[in-house]
């Protein structure tokens, strides 16, 4: 069972080959062109995908030592994501599957983030487990009963935590992508230097729009009194805002774990690469008696290996799609 998987939901062009549930290659091409604009420009992203998808797929096949005629299926990210970017991956996957007369497998991007934990079978959570899935576009607590049986029991009602990281970084005039830079500066700062409000949402849901507004007003007030405030206090500012965001995330996760009685706890999504979050989750896991699962860094951000892993389980159940399929950016 040999599957070629394609990921093109945002600004990474990625291809991976999976053979009988084992990842044989995972090629990721990151787009640097967006740095000069302070964020992803959808039209530019789709154009770069068009330029890169053929060489990326070719390299993935070469690294796996697989000929395209040996493929049994082609998988692709159907959504969510940027429409233009998804169109490139979807169209390429459909054309290749049609040319080779093999099945197509559509994959939900966020479901794939959760299933990235099964790439390394020696360190995989047991069912059922809770997965805190955090990225630039999503913040969710997912109850995972089986590989393809998942239920969102809590999620953000406005902005995602990844967006909160990036927008606070932009207010600090840090270059894009700003989230990793906040993490880097935070390691040198005092997380209790400044206090920021935490929005309390009912149940297990989140809200991050309020903290962004509070952070803006905080900076305006401080820089009015001292124009050099940010430059003089950057590590402390980053450490304080990061600790607040992490506390919001983990407070709800702990609440979900106590409500469900589940002690198998996983982390997934691009923001799971944040060192502060990884450390805080491990510490809370020790306090709560959880078994904590944190993916390797290369499987945190967008990559085709996680798409291949999800496709593997869908292949086993015979869940294929037709040539009539089209992208679902808001899936």
């Amino acid at each position: 069972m040999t599957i070629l998987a394609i990921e093109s939901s945002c600004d990474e062009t990625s291809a991976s080959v999976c053979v009988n549930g084992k990842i044989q290659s995972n090629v990721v091409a990151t787009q640097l062109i967006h740095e000069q604009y302070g964020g992803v420009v959808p039209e530019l992203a789709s154009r770069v995908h068009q330029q890169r998808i053929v060489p990326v797929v070719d390299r993935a096949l070469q690294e796996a030592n697989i000929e395209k005629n040996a493929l049994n299926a082609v998988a692709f990210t159907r959504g969510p994501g940027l429409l233009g970017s998804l169109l490139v991956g979807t169209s390429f996957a459909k054309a290749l599957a049609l040319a080779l007369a093999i099945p197509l497998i559509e994959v939900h991007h966020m479901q794939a983030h959760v299933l990235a934990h099964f790439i390394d079978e020696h360190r995989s959570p047991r069912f059922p487990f809770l997965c805190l899935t955090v990225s630039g576009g999503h913040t969710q607590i997912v109850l995972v009963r089986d590989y393809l049986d998942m239920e969102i029991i809590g999620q953000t009602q406005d902005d995602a935590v990844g967006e909160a990281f990036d927008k606070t970084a932009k207010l600090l005039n840090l270059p894009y992508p700003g989230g990793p830079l906040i993490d880097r500066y935070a390691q040198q700062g005092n997380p209790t230097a400044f206090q920021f409000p935490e929005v309390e949402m009912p149940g297990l849901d989140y809200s991050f729009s309020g903290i962004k507004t509070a952070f803006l007003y905080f900076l305006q007030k401080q820089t009015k009194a001292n124009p050099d405030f940010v430059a003089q206090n950057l590590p402390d500012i980053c450490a304080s805002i990061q600790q607040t965001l992490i506390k919001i995330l983990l407070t709800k996760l702990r609440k979900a774990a106590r409500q469900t009685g589940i002690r198998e706890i996983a982390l997934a999504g691009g923001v799971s690469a944040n060192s502060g979050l990884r450390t805080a989750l491990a510490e809370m896991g020790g306090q709560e008696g959880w078994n904590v699962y944190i993916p390797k860094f290369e499987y945190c951000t967008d990559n085709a290996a996680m798409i291949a892993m999800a496709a593997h389980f869908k292949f086993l159940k015979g869940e294929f799609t037709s040539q009539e399929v089209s992208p679902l950016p808001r899936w």
Side-chain angles (χ1 to χ4, degrees):
M1 185 170 58
T2 304
I3 301 171
L4 170 69
I6 296 167
E7 155 60 20
S8 68
S9 62
C10 190
D11 61 340
E12 273 92 16
T13 310
S14 183
S16 174
V17 174
C18 175
V19 179
N20 295 327
K22 306 290 185 181
I23 300 300
Q24 304 299 313
S25 65
N26 185 38
V27 178
V28 182
T30 301
Q31 301 178 7
L32 302 179
I33 191 172
H34 306 286
E35 293 180 359
Q36 59 187 298
Y37 299 101
V40 177
V41 181
E43 177 62 24
L44 292 178
S46 61
R47 290 182 183 182
V48 177
H49 282 304
Q50 286 179 310
Q51 296 167 0
R52 292 184 172 176
I53 192 163
V54 171
V56 165
V57 168
D58 184 56
R59 183 177 167 188
L61 290 171
Q62 288 183 24
E63 289 188 3
N65 196 27
I66 294 291
E67 295 291 334
K68 61 181 181 295
N69 291 330
L71 297 174
N72 301 118
V74 181
F76 64 98
T77 302
R78 187 181 182 189
L82 302 175
L83 178 57
S85 296
L86 291 168
L87 271 169
V88 176
T90 302
S91 300
F92 185 92
K94 289 169 66 175
L96 184 59
L98 184 63
L100 297 175
I102 56 177
L104 271 172
I105 302 174
E106 63 183 49
V107 173
H108 190 289
H109 183 79
M110 299 311 296
Q111 185 182 56
H113 270 303
V114 175
L115 294 177
H117 284 280
F118 296 93
I119 294 174
D120 183 1
E121 62 183 12
H122 300 294
R123 182 58 180 162
S124 300
R126 294 170 295 179
F127 300 113
F129 66 91
L130 295 178
C131 188
L132 176 62
T133 310
V134 282
S135 69
H138 297 81
T139 302
Q140 303 170 337
I141 300 175
V142 183
L143 171 57
V144 186
R145 300 185 182 91
D146 202 350
Y147 298 112
L148 301 177
D149 183 3
M150 304 182 190
E151 177 187 356
I152 298 172
I153 60 175
Q155 62 185 324
T156 181
Q157 296 301 303
D158 40 59
D159 298 332
V161 68
E163 185 179 359
F165 270 110
D166 284 338
K167 288 192 174 180
T168 52
K170 196 168 186 177
L171 291 172
L172 292 170
N173 291 318
L174 296 176
Y176 176 86
L181 290 176
I182 285 187
D183 186 25
R184 189 183 309 167
Y185 283 114
Q187 295 174 33
Q188 309 162 22
N190 175 11
T192 61
F194 305 105
Q195 301 296 316
F196 299 104
E198 301 172 29
V199 178
E200 179 57 39
M201 293 289 288
L204 299 175
D205 287 337
Y206 294 101
S207 172
F208 292 100
S209 62
I211 192 170
K212 290 191 309 180
T213 303
F215 188 74
L216 171 63
Y217 291 157
F218 165 79
L219 288 183
Q220 289 176 340
K221 179 180 179 181
Q222 297 295 334
T223 54
K224 184 177 182 180
N226 176 13
D228 297 323
F229 173 77
V230 172
Q232 294 171 354
N233 298 275
L234 185 57
D236 288 347
I237 297 171
C238 290
S240 298
I241 189 64
Q242 177 166 287
Q243 185 199 50
T244 303
L245 293 172
I246 290 172
K247 183 180 178 182
I248 293 171
L249 288 173
L250 296 188
T251 297
K252 290 289 180 146
L253 181 61
R254 179 172 57 197
K255 183 177 180 180
R258 291 177 177 178
Q259 285 183 359
T260 60
I262 294 174
R263 295 183 178 274
E264 297 282 300
I265 309 295
L267 181 65
V271 181
S272 64
N274 181 280
S275 65
L277 177 57
R278 295 165 80 95
T279 300
L281 177 59
E283 291 176 352
M284 181 173 284
Q287 297 167 0
E288 296 289 319
W290 297 342
N291 294 318
V292 174
Y293 303 87
I294 301 176
K296 295 179 179 178
F297 280 104
E298 60 262 40
Y299 302 131
C300 292
T301 53
D302 294 348
N303 66 91
M306 67 183 194
I307 305 301
M309 206 70 241
H312 167 75
F313 296 114
K314 298 192 80 170
F315 191 108
L316 291 175
K317 288 199 171 186
E319 294 188 11
F320 305 114
T321 191
S322 74
Q323 285 286 335
E324 303 297 320
V325 69
S326 60
L328 287 177
R330 297 186 180 275
W331 191 6

